[in-house]
């Protein structure tokens, strides 16, 4: 399945989640958050297409990565193409983080035409950083998020309970910084 990305797979990132990580920079975003640090990823026709199998092959050839981060752009606009990538990451014993400008609640809205794929992608995601970036709530003291309105969600616990469960360990770090 084709995936539109902004750049080649990043290897050895240490800022897009804990540990050494691969990062997929998806291309295309409709949120247009003021102050976004990746405005070059907004154009839905920008970047280039790559087959999901190509990224999966790269994942098998990379060593020492703790996980993969889906960022962008807006990864949930291409949820269907990201599902097999996230599933392979789990099979490789890696964790999956995803950043989205959508809120958890928006991803679960039944009228959302992409909901089926977005919810299936969430089944393989461990941590979701949700919500639009808000420049007036920006802080360099925040761990793994750009603005204080964004939540770091424990996806699997949230799916089990049916309510948003925040990943408290990352918030404790914010308070001690």
């Amino acid at each position: 399945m084709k995936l539109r990305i902004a750049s080649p797979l990043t290897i050895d990132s240490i800022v897009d989640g804990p540990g050494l990580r691969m990062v997929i920079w998806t291309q295309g975003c409709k949120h247009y958050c003021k102050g976004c640090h990746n405005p070059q990823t907004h154009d839905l026709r920008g970047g280039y297409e790559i087959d999901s199998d190509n990224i999966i092959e790269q994942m098998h050839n990379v060593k020492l990565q703790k996980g993969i981060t889906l960022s962008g752009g807006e990864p949930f606009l291409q949820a269907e193409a990201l599902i097999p990538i996230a599933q392979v990451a789990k099979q490789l014993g890696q964790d999956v983080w995803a950043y989205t400008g959508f809120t958890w609640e928006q991803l679960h809205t039944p009228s959302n035409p992409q909901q089926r794929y977005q919810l299936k992608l969430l089944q393989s995601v461990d941590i979701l950083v949700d919500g639009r970036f808000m420049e007036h709530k920006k802080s360099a003291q925040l761990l793994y998020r750009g603005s204080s309105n964004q939540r770091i969600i424990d996806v699997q616990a949230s799916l089990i309970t049916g309510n948003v469960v925040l990943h408290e360990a990352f918030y404790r770090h914010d308070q001690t910084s």
Side-chain angles (χ1 to χ4, degrees), residues 11 16 28 56 63 78 85 94 109 137 151 166-167 170:
I11 309 294
D16 299 294
I56 290 169
K63 305 295 181 214
Q78 301 185 73
I85 294 169
Q94 299 172 345
T109 301
K137 293 185 176 186
R151 300 177 293 184
L166 300 179
H167 199 294
F170 299 117

Side-chain angles (χ1 to χ4, degrees), residues 46-59:
Y48 61 95
E49 284 189 336
I50 188 169
D51 197 283
S52 296
D53 289 340
N54 182 300
I55 291 177
I56 290 169
E57 182 180 333
Q58 291 179 61
M59 292 168 63

Side-chain angles (χ1 to χ4, degrees), residues 29-39 42 74 100-102 131-135 147 149-150:
C29 183
K30 297 179 178 178
H31 300 300
Y32 305 111
C33 300
K34 182 179 178 188
C36 172
H37 74 286
N38 288 331
H42 291 175
E74 173 50 68
T100 181
F102 294 113
R132 295 178 61 162
F133 172 74
M134 294 183 173
E135 193 169 36
S147 57
N149 63 296
Q150 295 173 314

